[in-house]
Amino acid sequence: PRIIPAATNKNIKLESGSVPAPESKPKKFWSRPTSICTRESPNYPNVFNDDISDRKQQVLREAEEILSYIATSLHKIGAPATPIFGSLLHEYRNGTKNAPSCLLLNPNDKVFDLALFHRHFYYILQFKVKIEKKFGWRIEWTDEMMHNRMIIIKPPPSRVPEDEFKIAINGFQCIEKTKLYFPWRKITIALNGFLPLKRHTPVLVRMRPQQTAEMDKDGKTVFYYMPHDSSCILGHIYGDDYMNAAK
């Protein structure tokens, strides 16, 4: 893939198009899927069992809707939303890389990690009022977190125990022309392992299966994205035995 210097604010190469800078008019690089993601669809993943409390199940369902709202909102500025770290690991381990129909949340995880290009990261703050009003979740950060491009979205402690589950927004940047750096995690990965991004799953929509998926005003479906070489990235972060469920 084409290498983008850290200081460049030009289009970043994707597998099916490009992501422009927010100030430019977004190019459309989403297309209609062969299947959609709804809870009423037989393709919706049933990941809950008797060990998962009703409270945790409700929290995860709300998290699905918040992630869908974030991905759809970011789509309007041409920004891709990409699972990373443990959330990428869970997607890859469970085979959802093969023509998936829904993003699969891990009921045993306490965090879902989403990666955003550094120039798109601060747009999350524009969604603060809507997320808090519509979903009742809070958006939190400290000065240190903001400096290192980390924002947390989580339910209020009055509803669930502290840190039972949260969404972590991880901003990253290009460095040294060939690497990507996540400052909060202090993790560096090869740029050509991450780019070009690959289209993954359509976002969750609350409608009947026979209806169309979540679309923008031009009638295009909104998707999550995956890194170009997830196996390479996961091996770098977790070691060669990253597929071992004990890790």
Side-chain angles (χ1 to χ4, degrees):
R2 183 164 57 91
I3 303 300
I4 307 297
T8 300
N9 199 28
K10 301 296 184 180
N11 289 358
I12 294 179
K13 184 70 175 177
L14 288 175
E15 186 177 70
S16 55
S18 60
V19 177
E23 62 269 16
S24 62
K25 183 178 180 180
K27 293 182 179 180
K28 303 301 180 181
F29 50 88
W30 284 267
S31 60
R32 198 178 301 271
T34 56
S35 62
I36 64 173
C37 176
T38 68
R39 292 199 178 117
E40 294 77 17
S41 168
N43 293 325
Y44 180 71
N46 182 12
V47 298
F48 303 126
N49 53 50
D50 293 339
D51 296 330
I52 307 301
S53 67
D54 291 343
R55 181 187 65 210
K56 183 65 175 288
Q57 292 185 35
Q58 179 61 28
V59 166
L60 290 175
R61 290 192 174 97
E62 291 175 7
E64 287 178 322
E65 295 186 17
I66 293 172
L67 287 166
S68 176
Y69 169 76
I70 290 172
T72 303
S73 299
L74 289 171
H75 163 69
K76 296 175 182 178
I77 61 168
T82 309
I84 194 65
F85 303 130
S87 303
L88 172 62
L89 177 62
H90 182 67
E91 285 286 293
Y92 194 87
R93 275 180 178 171
N94 287 275
T96 54
K97 64 183 188 300
N98 297 317
S101 59
C102 289
L103 193 70
L104 184 63
L105 299 190
N106 186 350
N108 297 312
D109 278 351
K110 293 185 176 182
V111 60
F112 185 92
D113 282 292
L114 202 65
L116 293 180
F117 289 100
H118 69 97
R119 67 171 178 260
H120 302 139
F121 173 77
Y122 298 102
Y123 277 81
I124 294 295
L125 300 178
Q126 296 185 10
F127 312 148
K128 183 178 187 297
V129 174
K130 185 68 175 288
I131 288 175
E132 292 180 346
K133 183 176 180 179
K134 182 175 182 179
F135 302 103
W137 286 40
R138 302 179 302 171
I139 295 184
E140 299 182 351
W141 66 87
T142 63
D143 290 343
E144 180 184 8
M145 291 168 65
M146 190 61 66
H147 177 74
N148 290 290
R149 298 185 181 89
M150 167 60 64
I151 292 175
I152 296 297
I153 306 173
K154 62 182 183 180
S158 59
R159 289 185 47 206
V160 299
E162 187 72 15
D163 291 333
E164 180 174 78
F165 188 81
K166 59 189 176 185
I167 297 169
I169 308 298
N170 300 262
F172 64 88
Q173 65 191 77
C174 300
I175 60 172
E176 300 176 8
K177 298 185 179 181
T178 60
K179 299 176 183 178
L180 298 180
Y181 181 60
F182 291 82
W184 182 254
R185 294 286 194 105
K186 295 181 172 58
I187 289 177
T188 301
I189 60 177
L191 186 146
N192 61 2
F194 195 83
L195 300 178
L197 294 175
K198 299 190 292 187
R199 195 179 69 182
H200 187 43
T201 61
V203 302
L204 175 73
V205 273
R206 303 187 66 178
M207 54 175 59
R208 296 188 301 275
Q210 62 267 29
Q211 291 179 284
T212 55
E214 184 74 29
M215 295 182 177
D216 67 12
K217 63 181 180 180
D218 294 325
K220 303 298 183 181
T221 305
V222 180
F223 287 89
Y224 298 105
Y225 275 73
M226 290 280 271
H228 173 67
D229 191 343
S230 297
S231 177
C232 176
I233 291 175
L234 292 171
H236 172 70
I237 296 175
Y238 298 106
D240 293 339
D241 60 341
Y242 63 88
M243 289 298 286
N244 182 354
K247 288 185 71 66

